[in-house]
Amino acid sequence: MNRYEFYELKSWMYLPVIFIGLLGNFASFLVYRTAPMRKSTVGTLLLILSLIDILLLILITPIFVLVFLPLWEDQWQKYSFHMSFFAYSTRYVYPLCMMTKSCSLYLMVLITIERWIAVCRPLQAKVLCTNRNTLKAGIFIIIFSIVFNAPRFFDYKIGDGYLSEMWMLDTEKHWWYFMFYFIILSVIFDYALPFLIMTIANYHVIRALQESDEVITGLAVQKRKDQKTTVMLLVVTIFFAFCHLFSMFLKLAESMFGGFLTQTSFYWEVFAEFTIFLIIFHTSSTFFIYYGFSEKFRTIFHDIIRCRPRSDDVKCSTYLPVNSSGATSEVKTRKSPASV
């Protein structure tokens, strides 16, 4: 199997995963945009994350899928399209893809911090974990992701009409840029710092959950639902860290060898594609984690696909027998929102 056949094969593998991911994240967006979900900061964060992941999957498609699919039978047209489309998508779409990736990464960090505050600092949660503070943090993350990844627009330039040439990533002409920005800053802000925060916060959350299970044997219903929410978000963040771990390893290897390993060995190319697939797989699978761990998510999702309007704020009347004569009296009950 030559290189082009390999890339064509992996594109056909990516395509259904991305399609499922788009459907799943759109379904998550529909669920988390409902009023019961947006009452909590977790629901607001997961709503934003669903939108970011949809955009990320859309931007990944032209760079890693469409460019390698056999869209033309003529070999020259195929080669010309490949080189032209790859050049312009690398030049303009790839930086946008990295911006959304950074947004997704730091939203996961924010979710982890929110759970740490809710579990380990419950008295401060009502003050810190508000939708207003969450929105401010989300806006800051978006601005930071745009500013931090803006230099990537200068990584490549278009030459001869269709050829994409390395510019700032030329290790001979711009060694300082390659080492300081592409390697050092990228390792710190794309991997080391967020992973360190998530590791420490998740460790304390897991310890707190273990201690609560040991001390409190009869937890209230709402408390148990809060724990299920925390466990769900733990699964999401730990799975996220695992899927990005191999990408960090590749970045560290490039920093040690001082160049692009994917340009020197076909095996490193395969490994790089494996890291990309893991990121796509995680982005496409979050819906199934939400669905599996959150009863409230499942209930609202089922209501949506059945076209049932849902409002947890509407009072309902229940008629119950209250005396020995068999008469009934109206008892007003109010549905309480379940945990996310």
Side-chain angles (χ1 to χ4, degrees):
M1 178 183 296
N2 58 41
R3 277 181 168 83
Y4 197 88
E5 289 175 344
F6 166 73
Y7 281 108
E8 182 178 328
L9 176 62
K10 65 93 181 178
S11 297
W12 286 116
M13 294 174 59
Y14 287 179
L15 199 59
V17 179
I18 291 175
F19 180 72
I20 293 173
L22 289 173
L23 293 179
N25 280 286
F26 181 69
S28 300
F29 167 74
L30 293 179
V31 172
Y32 284 115
R33 70 184 292 271
T34 59
M37 287 298 196
R38 286 187 285 110
K39 288 180 180 179
S40 67
T41 55
V42 173
T44 302
L45 287 173
L46 293 177
L47 172 66
I48 300 173
L49 182 63
S50 298
L51 289 175
I52 294 296
D53 285 346
I54 289 173
L55 183 59
L56 177 60
L57 290 173
I58 292 174
L59 292 172
I60 282 176
T61 303
I63 304 174
F64 299 105
V65 178
L66 295 182
V67 68
F68 298 109
L69 293 180
L71 302 179
W72 280 274
E73 295 182 0
D74 183 82
Q75 290 298 320
W76 171 248
Q77 288 182 340
K78 184 178 182 179
Y79 174 79
S80 178
F81 168 79
H82 166 76
M83 298 303 297
S84 169
F85 191 82
F86 183 76
Y88 283 96
S89 62
T90 302
R91 177 71 170 82
Y92 298 108
V93 180
Y94 178 71
L96 298 176
C97 184
M98 295 303 297
M99 291 176 184
T100 55
K101 179 177 175 290
S102 295
C103 282
S104 179
L105 171 64
Y106 280 96
L107 281 173
M108 294 302 303
V109 173
L110 188 58
I111 291 172
T112 305
I113 294 174
E114 192 277 343
R115 280 295 91 185
W116 175 80
I117 295 174
V119 174
C120 301
R121 298 291 186 272
L123 297 179
Q124 303 174 12
K126 292 184 178 180
V127 178
L128 298 177
C129 300
T130 63
N131 279 330
R132 184 171 184 177
N133 289 339
T134 299
L135 185 59
K136 290 180 180 179
I139 293 174
F140 174 79
I141 288 174
I142 293 173
I143 295 174
F144 168 78
S145 300
I146 293 173
V147 173
F148 180 73
N149 291 283
R152 296 183 183 274
F153 281 104
F154 303 98
D155 286 352
Y156 300 90
K157 69 177 183 179
I158 308 299
D160 297 333
Y162 59 87
L163 292 177
S164 177
E165 299 176 354
M166 280 188 172
W167 179 239
M168 294 302 292
L169 289 179
D170 190 330
T171 56
E172 295 182 359
K173 296 180 180 178
H174 302 99
W175 175 257
W176 61 271
Y177 176 83
F178 175 79
M179 287 303 300
F180 179 71
Y181 177 76
F182 188 79
I183 298 296
I184 297 177
L185 290 183
S186 179
V187 168
I188 293 175
F189 290 101
D190 284 341
Y191 301 102
L193 181 61
F195 285 1
L196 180 64
I197 295 174
M198 286 193 290
T199 300
I200 295 174
N202 283 330
Y203 170 76
H204 287 289
V205 169
I206 292 173
R207 286 291 303 272
L209 289 177
Q210 290 176 343
E211 291 174 1
S212 66
D213 286 339
E214 293 174 359
V215 176
I216 305 175
T217 57
L219 293 175
V221 174
Q222 186 61 38
K223 185 68 175 178
R224 290 189 181 276
K225 290 179 179 179
D226 291 339
Q227 279 201 339
K228 289 182 179 180
T229 299
T230 302
V231 171
M232 179 191 78
L233 295 176
L234 277 175
V235 172
V236 172
T237 54
I238 293 173
F239 185 43
F240 177 90
F242 172 78
C243 291
H244 285 72
L245 182 65
F246 297 92
S247 181
M248 181 178 67
F249 173 77
L250 177 62
K251 182 72 70 173
L252 291 174
E254 288 179 336
S255 66
M256 289 187 294
F257 291 100
F260 292 96
L261 298 176
T262 55
Q263 295 181 348
T264 60
S265 172
F266 178 68
Y267 296 104
W268 281 108
E269 288 186 49
V270 175
F271 181 78
E273 291 299 327
F274 174 70
T275 64
I276 295 170
F277 176 78
L278 286 178
I279 295 174
I280 296 173
F281 181 72
H282 170 268
T283 307
S284 301
S285 61
T286 50
F287 166 82
F288 301 100
I289 299 176
Y290 303 151
Y291 187 89
F293 282 86
S294 176
E295 180 181 353
K296 184 176 181 181
F297 184 94
R298 290 194 300 270
T299 302
I300 296 179
F301 176 70
H302 293 162
D303 289 342
I304 290 174
I305 61 178
R306 294 169 184 168
C307 300
R308 292 181 182 176
R310 177 183 176 85
S311 175
D312 285 1
D313 295 329
V314 178
K315 294 182 178 180
C316 59
S317 298
T318 306
Y319 295 89
L320 300 173
V322 295
N323 53 44
S324 58
S325 62
T328 59
S329 61
E330 183 178 348
V331 180
K332 297 289 185 178
T333 60
R334 185 181 182 87
K335 294 181 180 179
S336 59
S339 172
V340 174

